[in-house]
Structure formats: C-alpha cells, structure tokens
Amino acid sequence: MFESLKKKFGKAIEIGLPSEIRKGDIEDNIRNILMESDVALETCDRIIDSFDSFIDGVKKKISVAEVKSALRESISAILGENSIDLDILNPGKKPYIILFLGINGTGKTTTVAKMANYFKENNRRSVVAASDTFRAGAIEQLAILCQTVGVNLIKHESGSDPASVAFDAIEHAKARNLDYVLIDSAGRMQTNRNLLEEMKKIKRVAKPDLTVLVLDAMIGQDAVYQAETFLKEVSYDAIILTKLDTDARGGSIITISDQLKKPIIFVGTGQKMNEIMPFDGNWYLDRILPE
Ligand SMILES: Nc1nc2c(ncn2[C@@H]2O[C@H](COP(=O)(O)OP(=O)(O)O)[C@@H](O)[C@H]2O)c(=O)[nH]1
Ligand SMILES: [Mg+2]
C-alpha cells in the first residue's frame, strides 16, 4: 500500500543527496506530490507552513535528514490532532453500543462484521443489529457475514423500523451480558430527509456510546463533503476509513484527518473479515515516507 507516494517522496528528497536541497524547491515538490495524492489544497498549505516552521526560517538550503524529519513531523501533527480517549477493547461499559453510519457502498455492513470479528479475536462477545432494513438484500448480506464470523444477529423483516431492531439487539446483549452491540444502518443519499430522520431516531433509541462514520478512502476529497453533510445533521465521534487497499493516490488519510477533525480509529484494508486494524499514524507514515 502507498508505494507510489513513497516513491515520489523518495525521489523528491534524493535530489538533495549527497549534500543539501534548496528549501523553496523541496517545498514546491512536496506540495505537488501531496496535491497529486488527493490532499486538499488547504491541507497542503498547512503541511508546508508547518514544514517551514520546523526548519530554521532564514535557512535557504537544508539537508536530506532535515527534510525527512520536518516532513514526518508536519504530517504527524495533523494525524495526531484529533485523538479520542477510548480503549475500544476495554471501553468501561457493558454492553458498549456502536452505531455505524455512512452512505451506501462505503463498506458499513462489511465493517460491522469485521469489527465483530476483531472483537471475537480479542475474546469479546458482540451482537449485531441489522438496522439497514431498507435496502433489498442488506439483511441477508449481513446474515451471511455474521455466520462466517460466528456472531449473533438480530434482524426483523425487511422494511421494519430500524430503531426497534437496535433496541432488541441491546436487550439481547443485556440479557446475555455481551460486550458490544454493533448497529448497521441504511445509507441512501445523504440528502434524503427520511434517512436522516431514521438515523436520528436510531440514535435516540439506541443511545450509542460511539457513533462511527464509515468513509471510503477511494473517493478521496468527496468523502469530506459527504461527511460534512452528515456532521450537520447527525453527530459522530470517530471515523473508520475503508478500502485503503484501493487508495492508489494515498493521501485521503491526511485530508480526512485535517478537514473533519475527528480521529480515524480503524482502517479497512481488504474485503476479508480480518482485513481491518486499529489506525496508527506511525504505521501510515512509515509507508508513505522514505527511510
Ligand atoms: N477492497 C476493499 N473492499 C471493501 C473494504 N470494505 C468494504 N469493501 C467492499 O465494499 C463493497 C460495499 O460494502 P458494503 O459493506 O456492502 O457497504 P455498505 O453499503 O456501506 O454497507 C463490498 O463489495 C465490500 O466487500 C475494504 O477495506 N477494502
Ligand atoms: Mg450495508
């Protein structure tokens, strides 16, 4: 993942070997690389400003080592800005209720099942609520995934009230002393009023401890606009970014962190149930920056 971004940074920095690079040149190059990688313009500017402040202001020429550390610090500062105080495996409440939101196709349903699998692998017990009762086939899709993972699913008929499915799943979890309730949801167009009312109702009824916005890394800056629309109507606490394996340009993590001001807590890296992991900024920086 992210090999092409790493290669571009590598080339830009190596221009300075064996001695030094002109600061203005390397800043132009970094800006261009970030822009080609789908990083928003304002975010590029923030990174360059911060890069500049890491380097002695009057210096015109800088060493390769200085470039590397200033670049790492500048991006790292953005990634680390929005952390939340949450140990997801020990959240301190039982059942811990997580609601997953996002528009169609971003990977919500897959992510719900992957998270159930992640919790199971860590000896935690979950129940899943099939609260996407709108889209044909959604309940069946989730039923198959839950069977693969080996986790209970609470479902009602297609077209029924999503909030009451969530409510039943919470009762189920309480009765069995389960650790988590994971609530899938429907995602038609973000402008659809009914959907927004439906999500608000699920939130009112389920009172989630954590509301996660599921975003698709592949769609880059559009993801930001989608999320902003959600943010206006339904609040959320954190982001799970899916399909990192298909993010050929590699910059969506930076843009999303900077523009949405919410922490990315997990990332999806493939279609298999175990292809999800807690997000770690250093893991990402190691992949995009040359050693
Ligand atoms: N490559 C890849 N595909 C994913 C990932 N997460 C989900 N998908 C795929 O994205 C498609 C839509 O996923 P789905 O969970 O149905 O999205 P939903 O409409 O938001 O519930 C499916 O084909 C998933 O297999 C991921 O991390 N990587
Ligand atoms: Mg779905």
Side-chain angles (χ1 to χ4, degrees), residues 187-211:
R188 281 158 275 161
M189 287 305 293
Q190 66 271 39
T191 48
N192 185 312
R193 283 303 317 173
N194 292 337
L195 173 67
L196 291 168
E197 291 312 317
E198 181 177 305
M199 291 193 299
K200 285 179 190 166
K201 185 173 173 197
I202 298 180
K203 278 201 89 163
R204 266 199 319 273
V205 171
K207 299 185 185 64
D209 300 295
L210 184 73
T211 302

Side-chain angles (χ1 to χ4, degrees), residues 211-227:
T211 302
V212 171
L213 180 68
V214 178
L215 290 176
D216 177 342
M218 203 165 51
I219 57 165
Q221 286 186 45
D222 282 349
V224 173
Y225 302 119
Q226 280 182 20

